[in-house]
Amino acid sequence: MRRLIIRKALLPAVCLFLLIPIGCGKVEKMENTNLFFNMIMQDGADPWVYKHTDGFYYFTKTTGDNVTVWKSPNLTTLDTGAKKVIPTGGHGIWAPELHYIRGAWYIYYAMDDGDNVNHRMYVMENTSEDPTQGFWKQKGQITDETNRWAIDGTVLQVEDELYFIWSGWEEDINIRQILYIAHMSDPWTIDSERVEIARPVLSWETNHSPNVNEGPQVIIRNGVINLVYSASGSWTNDYCLGLITAEAGSNLLDPASWTKRDEPIFKSANGIHGPGHHSFTTSPDGSEDWIVYHTAKYDGAGWNREVRAQTFTWNEDNTPHLGEPVNPNQPISLPAGEPARVRFEAEKGTFGGGAAALESSTGSGGEKAGHFSEEDSYVEFSVKVDQEGEYALLARTANGAMDGKTSHFLLSVNEGRANELYVVHKAWENWGLSTAKVQLQAGDNLIRFAKGTGEAELDFFDLRPLFFSGTTK
């Protein structure tokens, strides 16, 4: 059995090292990795992430009939962060966003009564320092006087003024989704008429019916307001991001202040399909700009989506240069300021029950662990850590089972109770990200991935200490 030793794991500024006995007493010394594959969550749509002044990332996404907020010290470990589930009392909760405005937290979300025709925007408030703590007070519906269908609301702050931007219907029939803006007197009240600033008119916006402009997100640079929005059919591979700009000093309630670009600025490429509905944030040290976005899990997956992230740069005119979606099999650097990870290549584990190391065209080391087909199939790893604590485990996994169903590994530590590690169904070699929080003792630990429901494959797993723990409900 191979032994992997993590040294000084809780000090992010210190390099981590692995000591791997190979053969008769020979020891190979290896450094940890600062690379990752850019998936953040293997399930999810409409991601919103906000980096607060306390250094934590706060994340939410569409979760159904509630709003869920995650808290993490790192952008790439959101899925293992502390979590707060907030009931809403409604249905069809879409695209919640968490904003910190004038000393309080606000969540804006679309909700209906079970009928999409009745989707409207709502807002809730929390005056606690930490949005995963304290009490969330419902402030009610936020709307202009038309009170028509509305989703994907976001807040634009320009100096001391607040504006609400959302996607809505012109009348009461779903012909097209238009982007509207209105002035706000406070974080829960619109006090002006809605003003149309963009409707789908370009060929790449009108290639599916109904026509869609939605998911507006704002990022400001040197006085240029960049409103990046999603267009085309969200259920298709054509879903993409477009750009509308305005000057910060202009009359933002005048449609003439807004200029739409003729071409999308982010679209399908490199085996990634339908990138859209995004948010912007920065690296932990603030030196990098990052976009977090959802994509289809595979060609033609439609609304079956996952969450990815990558850096972007800026054009000379202060508009974002998003480039192309990163190839899912091309590792990229961790966000600047994130501590390194220790990586365990699956093919280097100890196998049993017919599981084995296999060649892999997309695996990180050209191999993977597979053949988890027998009831007693497993791969395990001996891990030594200097300090007891809770660790984030991030596993690159795949599931291409013929039945199309979810698979699970049974993940256990030190022969304790095995917990199911969810593996999304996409295809073999189409890797997802399965995450867990594991409690490790100081010294030796044994981590085992055993066959659970269905079949799955393992490319590698990373370990990183959590800097806080616990879940609030």
Side-chain angles (χ1 to χ4, degrees):
M1 182 181 300
R2 295 167 173 82
R3 172 168 293 175
L4 306 180
I5 301 178
I6 307 177
R7 297 203 182 277
K8 305 296 184 185
L10 290 178
L11 299 177
V14 178
C15 287
L16 310 178
F17 297 93
L18 309 183
L19 297 181
I20 307 178
I22 298 178
C24 295
K26 181 181 178 182
V27 175
E28 180 181 355
K29 185 176 179 181
M30 299 176 61
E31 290 189 0
N32 57 296
T33 180
N34 287 300
L35 300 176
F36 83 114
F37 294 84
N38 77 323
M39 185 176 293
I40 301 296
M41 290 188 177
Q42 66 176 337
D43 265 321
D46 313 322
W48 168 265
V49 63
Y50 168 73
K51 182 171 173 280
H52 193 43
T53 54
D54 61 5
F56 286 98
Y57 291 90
Y58 295 94
F59 175 86
T60 187
K61 63 179 181 177
T62 296
T63 50
D65 291 344
N66 64 56
V67 174
T68 302
V69 176
W70 285 260
K71 175 183 179 180
S72 171
N74 299 301
L75 178 60
T76 66
T77 57
L78 292 170
D79 207 19
T80 58
K83 188 167 62 173
K84 172 77 171 182
V85 178
I86 308 166
T88 61
H91 302 276
I93 310 301
W94 290 356
E97 290 190 7
L98 176 68
H99 293 256
Y100 189 74
I101 304 171
R102 299 174 179 174
W105 295 96
Y106 296 91
I107 292 178
Y108 301 88
Y109 59 99
M111 181 173 69
D112 67 20
D113 56 3
D115 186 347
N116 175 46
V117 171
N118 297 319
H119 257 112
R120 301 293 188 273
M121 288 300 306
Y122 294 81
V123 59
M124 61 178 89
E125 178 189 57
N126 187 337
T127 57
S128 300
E129 292 185 5
D130 183 339
T132 64
Q133 306 294 325
F135 176 72
W136 281 97
K137 178 182 179 181
Q138 296 290 341
K139 302 293 286 187
Q141 186 180 347
I142 180 168
T143 183
D144 70 301
E145 63 182 10
T146 67
N147 192 24
R148 294 205 169 105
W149 188 90
I151 65 168
D152 296 353
T154 194
V155 175
L156 165 62
Q157 301 183 64
V158 180
E159 296 181 349
D160 294 329
E161 300 298 321
L162 299 177
Y163 299 87
F164 198 59
I165 304 174
W166 71 98
S167 177
W169 293 351
E170 193 168 17
E171 300 294 340
D172 296 321
I173 301 174
N174 186 12
I175 299 174
R176 65 183 62 86
Q177 290 175 225
I178 295 170
L179 296 183
Y180 294 99
I181 189 172
H183 187 266
M184 305 170 75
S185 58
D186 55 50
W188 58 89
T189 307
I190 288 174
D191 67 349
S192 77
E193 295 182 353
R194 68 177 186 175
V195 174
E196 176 186 324
I197 55 175
R199 68 169 55 208
V201 293
L202 301 169
S203 60
W204 50 274
E205 299 177 306
T206 59
N207 52 355
H208 299 281
S209 182
N211 303 156
V212 171
N213 280 181
E214 64 183 9
Q217 300 294 339
V218 176
I219 186 167
I220 302 174
R221 182 178 172 88
N222 295 330
V224 176
I225 300 173
N226 295 281
L227 193 160
V228 181
Y229 66 99
S230 301
S232 190
S234 60
W235 57 96
T236 74
N237 289 352
D238 295 323
Y239 204 47
C240 59
L241 296 181
L243 175 64
I244 309 167
T245 60
E247 295 297 324
S250 63
N251 179 4
L252 300 181
L253 297 182
D254 180 358
S257 297
W258 297 88
T259 303
K260 179 183 283 192
R261 298 298 170 96
D262 291 335
E263 299 294 334
I265 63 170
F266 198 60
K267 60 183 180 179
S268 298
N270 300 318
I272 295 297
H273 305 284
H277 206 125
H278 65 295
S279 58
F280 296 114
T281 190
T282 62
S283 58
D285 69 2
S287 68
E288 298 171 341
D289 291 299
W290 283 73
I291 180 173
V292 181
Y293 58 98
H294 74 221
T295 72
K297 290 179 180 175
Y298 48 85
D299 186 1
W303 287 321
N304 188 5
R305 295 172 290 199
E306 60 197 15
V307 180
R308 296 183 176 272
Q310 63 190 69
T311 56
F312 68 93
T313 58
W314 293 91
N315 299 310
E316 290 185 1
D317 63 356
N318 295 306
T319 60
H321 177 72
L322 302 183
E324 294 181 334
V326 172
N327 185 319
N329 298 310
Q330 177 65 48
I332 63 174
S333 296
L334 288 168
E338 277 204 16
R341 304 173 172 188
V342 178
R343 177 157 299 166
F344 304 89
E345 291 289 350
E347 62 270 14
K348 295 180 179 179
T350 298
F351 294 91
L358 306 172
E359 290 186 359
S360 171
S361 62
T362 58
S364 66
E367 293 182 276
K368 62 187 176 184
H371 286 172
F372 291 89
S373 54
E374 303 297 329
E375 292 300 318
D376 59 348
S377 299
Y378 69 89
V379 61
E380 62 185 20
F381 305 83
S382 181
V383 176
K384 187 172 185 177
V385 299
D386 285 347
Q387 186 166 344
E388 177 184 2
E390 196 169 26
Y391 290 73
L393 183 149
L394 305 104
R396 195 173 190 232
T397 56
N399 169 10
M402 293 293 291
D403 61 10
K405 296 180 179 179
T406 297
S407 294
H408 297 86
F409 281 113
L410 295 178
L411 176 66
S412 61
V413 178
N414 297 327
E415 299 182 346
R417 177 183 174 183
N419 293 307
E420 291 187 334
L421 186 69
Y422 169 71
V423 183
V424 68
H425 183 272
K426 297 201 292 181
W428 301 124
E429 302 272 310
N430 186 354
W431 301 101
L433 179 70
S434 301
T435 66
K437 289 186 271 191
V438 295
Q439 186 72 29
L440 300 181
Q441 61 191 17
D444 293 325
N445 296 268
L446 185 68
I447 297 179
R448 173 178 284 207
F449 295 78
K451 174 182 168 54
T453 305
E455 291 189 48
E457 295 178 334
L458 177 67
D459 182 24
F460 63 77
F461 71 95
D462 291 344
L463 280 179
R464 174 189 284 169
L466 289 175
F467 297 97
F468 69 101
S469 62
T471 298
T472 58
K473 292 185 179 179

